Amino acid sequence: MGGRFITFEGGDGVGKSTHISLLADSLRAQGHEVVVSREPGGTPLGTQIRELLLHGGDVSPRAEALLYAADRAHHAATVIRPALERGAIVLCDRYLDSSIAYQGAARALGKEEVRELSLWATENLLPDLTFLLDLPVDIAQQRLVGESDRIESAGMAFHEAVRAEFLALAEADPQRWRVLDVREDIETVSAQIHEHVRELLAP
Ligand code: TYD
């Protein structure tokens, strides 16, 4: 596949979408085809799954894991792989590491099982580069605006477990992950992201 697949991970309220759109703008200005997407909800089917997951009422933990995996399977097959095959750069707001952190660790469904589920769902499609936008949970919670969805309102211990698992995933695979401290201002973090992506794209 000719393209590059870059994912952005982190807890709720860490500012992923701001950095994705800054990066997308500058890559487009350099002449790249850029596809910006997100999980859950990067496809028409995914939009409906997202609604069920976040605003549809009670969802049991295993059903939750399967719904995120179903969203990912359809997204990988119909959006991400075709874009990579065209040579595009795909920037995705959350991907399988979110399932490992939220469902595998915080919901305690088993990190390895949840990873395997997502790898099966995507036929082993892994990102080339993953940014962890890291922020202490109390600061992240203060940054959230509007009414909380089902996951956002899961409580401090849940979100601490999510953060700890993201940090552990990043530490275990420094080749793929770059950890960014987003207490720094937006310009500083954005410059770091641009530098890492420049290295990835360098011939
Ligand atoms: P997102 O749209 O990124 O929300 P936000 O913009 O508030 O960060 O993700 C929606 C929620 O879904 C978020 O709370 C994290 C959760 N999530 C999982 O629990 N598992 C997953 O596999 C994914 C992709 C998201």
Side-chain angles (χ1 to χ4, degrees):
M1 281 200 277
R4 288 286 186 278
F5 182 24
I6 304 174
T7 58
F8 290 74
E9 299 284 1
D12 295 84
V14 298
K16 295 186 302 305
S17 48
T18 306
H19 286 293
I20 291 171
S21 72
L22 288 170
L23 179 61
D25 288 348
S26 75
L27 290 172
R28 285 186 181 122
Q30 293 163 38
H32 294 284
E33 185 198 348
V34 180
V35 172
V36 173
S37 198
R38 69 165 177 178
E39 291 189 358
T43 61
L45 174 65
T47 306
Q48 296 187 52
I49 297 175
R50 181 182 176 90
E51 195 55 30
L52 293 172
L53 278 163
L54 300 180
H55 308 286
D58 185 39
V59 185
S60 64
R62 279 164 195 266
E64 180 181 287
L66 289 164
L67 285 168
Y68 281 111
D71 168 72
R72 183 160 304 124
H74 190 64
H75 188 219
T78 65
V79 175
I80 304 173
R81 274 186 192 279
L84 294 174
E85 278 159 12
R86 290 198 303 275
I89 299 174
V90 177
L91 307 181
C92 194
D93 188 338
R94 300 193 181 283
Y95 189 62
L96 103 171
D97 302 296
S98 276
S99 281
I100 299 171
Y102 283 81
Q103 282 68 52
R107 293 267 189 246
L109 292 173
K111 293 174 261 189
E112 220 22 71
E113 288 85 342
V114 169
R115 183 204 298 278
E116 286 301 321
L117 178 65
S118 268
L119 288 175
W120 180 80
T122 63
E123 299 179 85
N124 300 312
L125 180 63
L126 280 171
D128 297 297
L129 183 64
T130 298
F131 290 106
L132 172 56
L133 277 58
D134 182 57
L135 196 60
V137 172
D138 52 340
I139 303 177
Q141 297 271 317
Q142 286 162 19
R143 288 196 191 177
L144 289 174
V145 286
E147 213 168 299
S148 294
D149 62 40
R150 201 176 55 82
I151 303 274
E152 283 167 0
S153 35
M156 284 297 273
F158 181 89
H159 290 283
E160 292 288 2
V162 168
R163 182 184 184 213
E165 181 57 23
F166 277 133
L167 286 167
L169 286 167
E171 198 178 19
D173 187 2
Q175 172 101 4
R176 169 157 76 89
W177 289 80
R178 303 288 178 273
V179 182
L180 305 165
D181 180 349
V182 291
R183 285 173 299 184
E184 304 273 0
D185 57 57
I186 290 178
E187 291 72 25
T188 307
V189 175
S190 179
Q192 292 168 348
I193 292 174
H194 280 76
E195 181 54 25
H196 292 306
V197 172
R198 203 183 56 72
E199 280 167 22
L200 175 74
L201 300 179

